[in-house]
Amino acid sequence: MEGFGLLVLIVLGVLFIIFATAKWKLHPFISLILASFGIGLFGGLPLMDVVEAVNGGFGGLMGGIGLVIVFGTIIGIILEKSGAALRMAEVILRIVGEKRPQLAMSLIGSIVSVPVFCDSGYVILSSLKKALAKKAKVAVASMAIALATGLFATHTLVPPTPGPIAAAGNIGAENYLGTIILIGVVVAIPTIIMGYIWSVKVGTKIKIEGEADDQSPYDYQTIIDQFGEMPSAAKSFMPIVVPILLIGFGSVITFAGWSGTIFDIFLFLGSPVVALLAGVLFAFLLLPKFDEETLSEWIGMGIKEAAPILLITGAGGAFGNVISSTSVAEYIQGFGDNAFFTGAMFLLIPFLIAAGLKSAQGSSTAAIVITSTLVAPLLMEVSISGAVPLALVVMAIGAGAMVVSHVNDSYFWVVKEFSGMSVTQAYKAQTAATLLQGIVAFVFTFILWILFV
């Protein structure tokens, strides 16, 4: 199959994935694999070429980012179980001050969500959020929005969160993770600020039923004390900070073209797999004891949490490789000659695709994986390559994957239930906030492209 018919087939494959996951509740891994085989078979690829494309796409992506995702989830579980995430929250609260509770919650969420999934992060910090709201005498809804949007911003924009890592792998930017982290932080800052503004301007006007009558005896200090002995602030931050610094320094060495034995050692340490493994080793310092529970069960939980992400990411790689094996690249060669599809305007394509997928099926990670596989064949045709341009494509995809969190998103329900908001209030708080965050992230990405590409 060639030309427009092949393009229609790919669109039908994407629609199948959306329908299967949203309506039939089929796991994205199976829907992606079925769509991969369907496009390969109906697209006219030789039968064994379809098998090779699926295997090659799945295995190739796992070889690049599989261990990075596993190490990242292990770090997240240890931070959660050891109390390090709560310790980091305490440190940030001390720095920002209790007089600015919404800002504190936004910053706490944005840092905790780098290694910990936003759903888990919200649950971990929910009691702290309520205690601070009570102590500062501010609306619980405003604190809920601040925390939820802070968590969500870095979840979709900043590696080593699995979504951005998967996108980097799919578009061939896995060697530029340092640049992606740096630009991700830069884009995340105005995105977090947007969530903070929404929490202050809108969240303070949302009154949750029963909030005024809450007689809960728990306060901030009680929650901290209940957790027991927590690790020090330095130990708590090291599993996150050390890998980011190593990856960042490795990127600087590559960019500067430095050579020599010392720089080779730092390049080795700065490779994402080694840097995240170093993060795991530093996370071992957080373990309250070395026994079967911490060394086997906690790490086992991290591996289990990584499994579905690995499968979805690998299936996305298979999906993209099958598409690349067809003649679709030949059909889209003309796009490079179209002014609309060049330069910063190209960013609209991944943004809109990711936004459509996110709104249709709910999962930000799945939206990022599928979008990055779809746009990968386009990048060479429109001459997008190099660290900064590819990093900005990842940002555009992440921005789209924010738009929007509503009733088909598990995170929407986590925020609603753990804050006590009604569905209508959650739409006003969470859904509207994620829409604005996605737009702000995209606009800022667009500006960065104009300035630096």
Side-chain angles (χ1 to χ4, degrees), residues 70-88 115-117 120 124 227 230-231 235-236 239-240 276-290 293-303 305:
V70 173
F71 292 153
T73 55
I74 290 173
I75 291 171
I77 288 293
I78 293 177
L79 289 175
E80 175 185 338
K81 294 290 184 181
S82 66
L86 210 54
R87 173 65 78 193
M88 289 189 291
V116 178
F117 282 96
S120 301
I124 295 167
F227 201 93
M230 293 188 294
K235 285 183 179 180
S236 298
I240 303 176
L276 267 293
L277 178 58
V280 171
L281 296 178
F282 276 105
F284 282 172
L285 300 175
L286 301 172
L287 300 179
K289 52 188 176 180
F290 292 92
E293 180 187 1
T294 57
L295 294 175
S296 182
E297 292 181 15
W298 287 13
I299 292 174
M301 290 174 66
I303 294 171
E305 191 166 294

Side-chain angles (χ1 to χ4, degrees), residues 41 118 135 138 218 263 286 299 310 323 337 363 367 383 414 441:
L41 294 172
C118 56
K135 185 174 184 178
V138 297
Y218 298 109
F263 294 124
L286 301 172
I299 292 174
L310 290 172
I323 292 174
D337 300 326
S363 169
S383 302
V414 168

Side-chain angles (χ1 to χ4, degrees), residues 148 229 368 389:
E229 186 177 352
I368 290 172

Side-chain angles (χ1 to χ4, degrees), residues 46-110:
L47 296 180
M48 292 311 299
D49 285 3
V50 176
V51 175
E52 290 177 10
V54 170
N55 286 335
F58 189 96
L61 196 57
M62 286 300 95
I65 63 171
L67 287 175
V68 174
I69 292 174
V70 173
F71 292 153
T73 55
I74 290 173
I75 291 171
I77 288 293
I78 293 177
L79 289 175
E80 175 185 338
K81 294 290 184 181
S82 66
L86 210 54
R87 173 65 78 193
M88 289 189 291
E90 187 185 23
V91 171
I92 295 165
L93 184 64
R94 261 201 322 264
I95 294 171
V96 175
E98 295 180 11
K99 293 183 180 179
R100 295 179 289 273
Q102 292 97 336
L103 179 59
M105 289 311 300
S106 291
L107 294 176
I108 288 167
S110 64

Side-chain angles (χ1 to χ4, degrees), residues 183-204:
I183 293 179
V185 170
V186 172
V187 174
I189 290 171
T191 309
I192 294 165
I193 292 172
M194 182 67 253
Y196 165 68
I197 293 172
W198 192 254
S199 72
V200 173
K201 298 297 183 182
V202 176
T204 51

Side-chain angles (χ1 to χ4, degrees), residues 56-66 68-69 159 161-177 180 272 313-314 316-318 320-321 324 368-377 379 390-391 393-394 397:
F58 189 96
L61 196 57
M62 286 300 95
I65 63 171
V68 174
I69 292 174
T161 308
I165 289 179
N170 282 333
I171 67 172
E174 62 270 20
N175 293 326
Y176 305 133
L177 275 186
I180 296 171
T313 302
N321 201 38
S324 299
I368 290 172
V369 169
I370 297 169
T371 302
S372 55
T373 60
L374 289 172
V375 301
L379 297 178
L390 290 177
V393 171
V394 173
I397 295 170

